[in-house]
Amino acid sequence: MQMKPWIKVIAVISLILALAAVPLLSACGGGEEPPPPPPPPPPPPPVVEFEVVKDAVAAYLADPAGNMNAADLFMMIAEDNAPYIVSIRSAADYAAGHIPGAVNKGFGDLTTLSMDEDILIYCYTGQSGSMAIAVLGVLDYDVQNLLHGMCSWSSDAAVTAGACFDATTVVGNQVETTANVPTETYDFPELENTTSTDSDEIVEAAAATVSPKYITAADLNMKIAEEEDMTIISCRSAADYANGHIPGAINIGLSSLAENLDKLDPDLPIYVYCYTGHTAAQATALLNMLGYDAYSLKYGMCSWSTDETVTAGKCFDAAGVVGYAVEQ
């Protein structure tokens, strides 16, 4: 039995209307699943302590702390315009005599100082003071070091504790003029000073690991003679390095220290020297913050050679000390 044409038309129209209603029903609560939520963002990369400290050291080296001479400090005291003066000598030597107005602090207590003060640090020779200003400078203190320390202020051996550089005791060790160029690169040390991921706390934890570390010319000369594995860094100018340097030393200036860390083997001790020990002491403190086992050569190149072409005439001379007043 065949359907009449008008019935076919009605059937087709009904089918079309039914099909058109399906999306409307779905939009009004049909069974279609909502789209899945977007995936969570990836976790932040892990904080690497070394990289945080390295960045802080590099920022400091862009404008490192400097030295003040005794004459300028004396004038500032006389004009009642002196910075906050901190002696980091022993309590006994501080009691024997100190720069007027100075307070006495241990090296490890320096971070308790107020960051609102202009600070002047001094020690015996200027080297420990240089280490101190490097550490405090990385922590954003406004700080300077007294050039040649108490030895530049007083000629009284009871006050200077016999610590001043004496050119007559320098043996005069061998130097070389052939440049030593590093050819290998090394991984950086791994720092594990804190569980914190806060950058400031990471830098503070690295600073807390630093204490003054030195080597004498006699001991370094013995290590060279015994061919011990080590790295020796000269922080002097390229010209003075070319005039003569400690055998085996490579030349890395303080300003370029952060960009040359991959040239230093983290498994070997590092001995750093400059002219008098001030710049090398800063480099030593920064390297220790970064996890290297670094030592500053006591009195610098002045303790190694008697040749003024090599020492560049920068050695401490006790004859130039005026001898300012101290208080007890």
Side-chain angles (χ1 to χ4, degrees):
M1 178 176 163
Q2 295 185 347
M3 295 179 66
K4 295 181 179 180
W6 61 270
I7 296 178
K8 289 183 179 182
V9 172
I10 292 174
V12 171
I13 292 173
S14 298
L15 179 60
I16 292 172
L17 291 174
L19 292 174
V22 170
L24 295 175
L25 291 173
S26 298
C28 295
E32 185 176 334
E33 292 290 332
V47 175
V48 180
E49 283 188 46
F50 180 88
E51 293 296 334
V52 173
V53 179
K54 179 175 176 285
D55 289 345
V57 167
Y60 167 74
L61 289 175
D63 186 22
N67 301 305
M68 180 184 295
N69 63 48
D72 288 342
L73 179 59
F74 175 78
M75 185 62 68
M76 293 180 77
I77 293 172
E79 295 175 348
D80 197 24
N81 189 35
Y84 189 73
I85 306 171
V86 180
S87 165
I88 57 172
R89 301 177 302 144
S90 73
D93 291 332
Y94 174 82
H98 52 267
I99 294 173
V103 300
N104 197 40
K105 289 272 188 182
F107 191 97
D109 297 325
L110 292 175
T111 54
T112 64
L113 294 169
S114 171
M115 297 188 72
D116 296 329
E117 301 273 6
D118 292 339
I119 299 171
L120 187 283
I121 304 286
Y122 78 93
C123 59
Y124 298 93
T125 67
Q127 284 187 266
S128 291
S130 292
M131 292 187 185
I133 65 170
V135 172
L136 292 177
V138 172
L139 296 175
D140 289 331
Y141 281 82
D142 189 353
V143 63
Q144 293 185 79
N145 175 54
L146 180 62
L147 185 66
H148 298 300
M150 197 66 182
C151 292
S152 71
W153 187 269
S154 175
S155 55
D156 185 348
V159 174
T160 61
C164 305
F165 173 73
D166 182 357
T168 64
T169 65
V170 179
V171 173
N173 297 304
Q174 179 184 1
V175 299
E176 65 180 9
T177 56
T178 302
N180 300 296
V181 181
T183 56
E184 295 185 55
T185 57
Y186 303 90
D187 294 334
F188 297 135
E190 293 185 9
L191 299 183
E192 296 180 347
N193 297 319
T194 179
T195 58
S196 175
T197 58
D198 179 79
S199 295
D200 290 341
E201 292 179 5
I202 289 172
V203 175
E204 289 167 6
T209 67
V210 179
S211 60
K213 294 166 66 175
Y214 298 101
I215 188 169
T216 65
D219 287 344
L220 181 56
N221 193 43
M222 182 65 69
K223 289 179 181 294
I224 293 172
E226 294 175 350
E227 298 184 346
E228 290 192 22
D229 288 336
M230 59 187 161
T231 302
I232 305 174
I233 298 176
S234 167
C235 286
R236 302 176 303 146
S237 73
D240 290 329
Y241 175 82
N243 285 335
H245 51 267
I246 294 174
I250 60 177
N251 198 38
I252 299 176
L254 181 65
S255 62
S256 61
L257 182 65
E259 61 201 61
N260 284 287
L261 294 174
D262 62 344
K263 298 180 176 65
L264 307 179
D265 187 339
D267 295 324
L268 297 181
I270 301 174
Y271 303 108
V272 191
Y273 75 95
C274 57
Y275 300 93
T276 62
H278 290 68
T279 302
Q282 287 212 47
T284 297
L286 298 174
L287 287 171
N288 284 324
M289 284 187 68
L290 289 160
Y292 295 92
D293 184 23
Y295 302 78
S296 180
L297 178 62
K298 199 167 185 181
Y299 307 122
M301 197 65 181
C302 292
S303 72
W304 189 269
S305 176
T306 57
D307 185 347
E308 286 198 4
T309 303
V310 174
T311 62
K314 295 188 177 184
C315 303
F316 173 76
D317 183 2
V321 178
V322 173
Y324 299 113
V326 299
E327 64 181 14
Q328 295 175 322

